[in-house]
Amino acid sequence: MAKAPTVYDVAEYAGVSIATVSRVLRSPDTVKAATRERVLDAVRFLGYVPSANARGLAARRTNVIGLFFPGHDDHHSGAIPFAEGDHIEVGTDDTEDDENLYYDEVLRGAEAEAARHGFALMVASGDGDVVSDLAGRVDGLAVLAGTVSDELLAHVGRRIPVVILGGRDDEFDHVSANNGPGMRELARHVATKAATIAYVAGAEGPDDAERWAGFSEVATAALHRGDFTRRSGQRIASEMRELPDAIVCANDQMALGVLDVLERLGIRVPEDVLVTGFDGIAAGRHSRPTLTTVHQPMAELGRAAVQVITARLDDPERQKQSLTLAVRVVLRESCP
Amino acid sequence: MAKAPTVYDVAEYAGVSIATVSRVLRSPDTVKAATRERVLDAVRFLGYVPSANARGLAARRTNVIGLFFPGHDDHHSGAIPFAEGDHIEVGTDDTEDDENLYYDEVLRGAEAEAARHGFALMVASGDGDVVSDLAGRVDGLAVLAGTVSDELLAHVGRRIPVVILGGRDDEFDHVSANNGPGMRELARHVATKAATIAYVAGAEGPDDAERWAGFSEVATAALHRGDFTRRSGQRIASEMRELPDAIVCANDQMALGVLDVLERLGIRVPEDVLVTGFDGIAAGRHSRPTLTTVHQPMAELGRAAVQVITARLDDPERQKQSLTLAVRVVLRESCP
DNA sequence: TCTTCGACTGTAAGCGCATACATTTATCTG
DNA sequence: CAGATAAATGTATGCGCTTACAGTCGAAGA
């Protein structure tokens, strides 16, 4: 890691000016082939890698799109298990319950789409400081609705385009799943088979509100407030006084939590009670019983977010848009 | 997105020099409290967000760590399904087979650890161009073994520290799972219950080689060459002439592929044949039968990679290190 | 009162690149 | 072969920030 070579080093070695070096890298065909080769040789010989900082500064854009996620709550901060000697532990199963955090897929979609547009993707999670730091590094930013204060959002929104995943307003571009209608359709299905329904809501926010609103269009239910975690689903299920005909949950995690408790109590699903979720996470496809849900196209959410950002980068004046992605009701064993 | 304000704007508005603005942001306590407040007010008023590019250029570091993944093979490039009118599709199940790409977890671990060290994480996938681009943007780079040509690796390695996930040599820092001993231990278990074994290898590379070597220490088998994909597991299973007592696969994906075919053929696992995988992906915990495997701590791999990078950033001269993380044999239904 | 010193703040020089503009060289016309 | 035009390259500036270094100013010491 001796001092990294710069355009100047390359230029000198190749016997050209730095402008030519830059041109070889940015617009190769404006440079004579022979010159180009000499420069490229120099690049290889010196191990030259252009500084994205310098380039971004000069060109006034970074070609990076940022993605902000709420913190991982640091359940990962234990010691790293290094291999010790020759011993390999053998066990019957691991306790790990990797709730395939749904934004893995969002992230993958965003990454793929960013790559298609020639952007790199930068991810960060944490608090407000992280957001403004991130904002200084990217050309556009995607954030989950409700994870960043309006104030901060307004602040960074003055510098770069921001797209919000979920929710909708006129301040920013939005991309979200068709929450309300999806839940409404699911509720309609549930209502044909259940008279009494319990609704397990998630943490308050636009998504949760839309789902509840969709549900309310076609059915009524006792509302229990959870927070989208499996644990809260478990808690709510154990606290239920009497069994309704169906338990409709605002997301899959909570529905799985409900299933956990029902199984423990020996209550059969769907015979004794119907259970539904929302999101379409992989775990719901493998649970017992498998989980009826509303599937959101996560990867497409990420892709759409990136598309919206690049579109706004191309035309800052365009009207704010609010994209809604199609969802799909998926009937499985828990509410066939 | 009017032109973004700069230090100059803030300095003027606050009636100080740009150096003072910079100090307020970088080392607040070297500035008198009253001055600091004036500057911070100006920052808020103007919506100032410092440019990471300019800062990185001046400070000669980006505070970003890069993570490179092999391409997503773009199975995502179809049209995005927007909601249309009021119709919601209802189906019995979705075909999607999201193979929880194991590096989701690596990525999450890396992100968490990077955050702990005050770094942002930049992810990119694709080909060589992407790698050198990435290298120009970050202070350190983590790549999966075998995904980047040695030549390119050497090139970028001259500019920034590179840590390789998997494999080991003296050129770079490495972090890998305890592949050989893990597979050896699993093989030992299998060997107690099976006389004839078929070994399904993955794409050639350090990980695959280590696993095979570990296996070979304690057992012998007919080797079938796959490429780590579920599909290749299916192919190999369907091409098998006669059934061995056990099929040991170099990763879980291929093992799942093998299970697919065995189920289709009506061959019972583990009664008729034992099957094992390697990795400990979530899908193996939910398959039928559930999959015996060797569990790698993916998130910790990511975390360790970041730790190695930051350590080298702190001391470029330190000796190259090769960390090995503990694995764990997990016995499940497919080979109890 | 005159120094001396420390706490603050300002001045100015890059960091490594892109690019408008100027200059040189090659190519073409007739 | 002169003159005109196009192609190739060089010169010089600035992108927005950090940071050595150089003041400035008030308080403490002599």
Side-chain angles (χ1 to χ4, degrees):
Chain A
M1 247 71 58
K3 192 178 161 315
T6 71
V7 264
Y8 295 96
D9 302 316
V10 175
E12 183 179 352
Y13 188 86
V16 298
S17 76
I18 64 163
T20 298
V21 175
S22 181
R23 278 191 279 261
V24 167
L25 268 22
R26 290 311 132 222
S27 36
D29 16 73
T30 67
V31 176
K32 192 163 57 168
T35 315
R36 197 189 315 143
E37 283 315 315
R38 255 188 310 141
V39 171
L40 289 178
D41 282 346
V43 166
R44 277 187 287 270
F45 179 77
L46 296 173
Y48 170 69
V49 177
S51 153
N53 279 332
R55 182 184 327 181
L57 187 54
R60 263 160 285 255
R61 65 162 4 198
T62 62
N63 276 303
V64 180
I65 286 178
L67 190 51
F68 176 78
F69 287 128
H72 301 316
D73 297 338
D74 247 336
H75 43 254
H76 279 298
S77 45
I80 294 182
F82 294 110
E84 288 168 17
D86 215 37
H87 175 69
I88 302 289
E89 191 181 343
V90 180
T92 53
D93 211 341
D94 34 5
T95 57
E96 197 173 340
D97 138 13
D98 59 346
E99 2 190 323
N100 175 359
L101 272 7
Y102 75 97
Y103 42 68
D104 282 348
E105 266 184 74
V106 175
L107 194 151
R108 231 181 292 138
E111 201 285 325
E113 190 67 16
R116 287 201 334 126
H117 291 269
F119 284 82
L121 218 226
M122 183 138 157
V123 305
S125 70
D127 55 18
D129 288 349
V130 175
V131 174
S132 34
D133 182 78
L134 188 58
R137 304 177 173 282
V138 301
D139 291 336
L141 188 59
V143 307
L144 263 57
T147 60
V148 177
S149 75
D150 291 354
E151 195 183 347
L152 186 52
L153 227 39
H155 190 94
V156 306
R158 292 174 62 178
R159 174 181 238 265
I160 51 172
V162 171
V163 55
I164 302 181
L165 269 45
R168 46 201 95 216
D169 63 40
D170 301 329
E171 288 289 305
F172 297 100
D173 289 312
H174 289 262
V175 176
S176 48
N178 206 6
N179 284 303
M183 182 59 95
R184 183 199 60 208
E185 213 53 35
L186 176 61
R188 192 168 280 162
H189 172 72
V190 173
T192 64
K193 327 183 72 172
T196 62
I197 305 181
Y199 186 91
V200 180
E204 303 193 38
D207 285 344
D208 184 67
E210 288 181 9
R211 291 174 197 173
W212 170 244
F215 177 88
S216 301
E217 279 182 45
V218 298
T220 57
L223 188 148
H224 302 257
R225 173 67 59 189
D227 61 7
F228 284 138
T229 65
R230 187 166 188 150
R231 183 162 299 281
S232 74
Q234 295 169 338
R235 177 181 55 74
I236 290 169
S238 14
E239 288 171 359
M240 259 178 212
R241 306 303 196 77
E242 46 201 76
L243 208 59
D245 297 332
I247 303 177
V248 173
C249 304
N251 80 341
D252 286 348
Q253 295 286 355
M254 295 194 296
L256 292 175
V258 168
L259 289 182
D260 290 340
V261 173
L262 294 178
E263 177 175 13
R264 188 150 45 77
L265 298 179
I267 299 173
R268 294 166 307 163
V269 179
E271 293 83 351
D272 303 334
V273 58
L274 302 170
V275 176
T276 67
F278 199 110
D279 275 352
I281 66 177
R285 209 167 19 244
H286 302 299
S287 59
R288 318 213 172 166
T290 57
L291 187 63
T292 288
T293 189
V294 178
H295 181 264
Q296 299 195 60
M298 301 294 183
E300 278 71 19
L301 266 180
R303 290 182 49 207
V306 169
Q307 285 189 1
V308 168
I309 289 177
T310 58
R312 180 154 304 286
L313 248 19
D314 289 342
D315 173 15
E317 304 308 326
R318 65 180 295 170
Q319 189 159 2
K320 301 291 180 193
Q321 61 178 330
S322 183
L323 298 183
T324 303
L325 304 197
V327 299
R328 185 162 178 280
V329 173
V330 179
L331 303 180
R332 301 206 193 93
E333 296 165 0
S334 73
C335 181
Chain B
M1 249 68 59
K3 191 175 161 317
T6 72
V7 264
Y8 294 96
D9 302 315
V10 175
E12 184 180 352
Y13 187 87
V16 298
S17 75
I18 62 164
T20 297
V21 174
S22 180
R23 278 192 279 260
V24 167
L25 269 21
R26 289 314 129 221
S27 35
D29 19 73
T30 67
V31 177
K32 193 163 56 169
T35 315
R36 198 192 313 145
E37 283 314 314
R38 256 189 310 143
V39 171
L40 290 178
D41 282 346
V43 166
R44 277 187 287 270
F45 180 77
L46 297 172
Y48 171 67
V49 178
S51 152
N53 277 333
R55 179 181 333 179
L57 185 55
R60 263 162 279 257
R61 69 169 347 200
T62 63
N63 275 302
V64 179
I65 287 178
L67 190 50
F68 176 79
F69 286 128
H72 300 317
D73 297 339
D74 249 334
H75 44 253
H76 280 297
S77 45
I80 294 183
F82 293 111
E84 288 168 16
D86 214 37
H87 175 69
I88 302 289
E89 191 181 343
V90 180
T92 54
D93 212 341
D94 35 3
T95 58
E96 195 173 339
D97 139 10
D98 59 347
E99 1 191 322
N100 175 1
L101 271 8
Y102 76 98
Y103 42 68
D104 283 349
E105 266 185 75
V106 175
L107 194 150
R108 230 181 294 139
E111 201 284 326
E113 191 67 14
R116 286 198 340 123
H117 290 270
F119 284 83
L121 218 225
M122 187 141 156
V123 306
S125 71
D127 56 16
D129 288 348
V130 175
V131 174
S132 34
D133 181 78
L134 190 57
R137 304 176 172 282
V138 302
D139 291 336
L141 188 59
V143 306
L144 262 57
T147 59
V148 177
S149 75
D150 290 355
E151 195 182 350
L152 186 53
L153 228 38
H155 191 94
V156 308
R158 291 173 63 179
R159 174 182 239 266
I160 51 172
V162 171
V163 56
I164 301 181
L165 268 44
R168 47 202 94 215
D169 62 40
D170 301 330
E171 288 289 306
F172 298 99
D173 289 312
H174 289 263
V175 175
S176 48
N178 207 6
N179 284 303
M183 181 60 96
R184 182 199 61 208
E185 213 53 36
L186 176 62
R188 192 167 281 163
H189 173 72
V190 174
T192 63
K193 329 184 71 173
T196 61
I197 305 181
Y199 186 93
V200 180
E204 302 195 39
D207 285 344
D208 185 68
E210 288 182 9
R211 291 174 197 173
W212 171 244
F215 178 89
S216 301
E217 279 182 45
V218 297
T220 58
L223 188 148
H224 303 258
R225 174 67 58 188
D227 62 7
F228 284 137
T229 64
R230 187 164 187 150
R231 182 162 301 282
S232 75
Q234 295 169 339
R235 177 181 55 74
I236 289 169
S238 15
E239 288 172 357
M240 260 179 210
R241 307 302 195 80
E242 47 200 77
L243 208 59
D245 297 330
I247 303 177
V248 172
C249 305
N251 81 341
D252 286 347
Q253 296 286 355
M254 295 193 296
L256 293 175
V258 168
L259 289 182
D260 290 340
V261 173
L262 294 178
E263 177 174 12
R264 188 150 45 75
L265 298 178
I267 299 174
R268 293 166 309 163
V269 179
E271 292 82 353
D272 301 336
V273 58
L274 302 170
V275 176
T276 68
F278 200 110
D279 275 353
I281 66 177
R285 206 166 21 241
H286 302 298
S287 59
R288 317 210 172 171
T290 55
L291 186 64
T292 287
T293 189
V294 179
H295 181 264
Q296 299 196 59
M298 300 295 184
E300 277 72 17
L301 266 180
R303 290 182 50 207
V306 169
Q307 284 188 2
V308 169
I309 289 176
T310 59
R312 181 153 304 288
L313 248 19
D314 289 343
D315 174 15
E317 304 308 326
R318 64 180 295 170
Q319 188 159 4
K320 300 291 180 195
Q321 61 178 329
S322 183
L323 299 183
T324 304
L325 305 198
V327 299
R328 184 162 178 281
V329 173
V330 179
L331 304 180
R332 300 206 191 93
E333 297 165 0
S334 72
C335 181

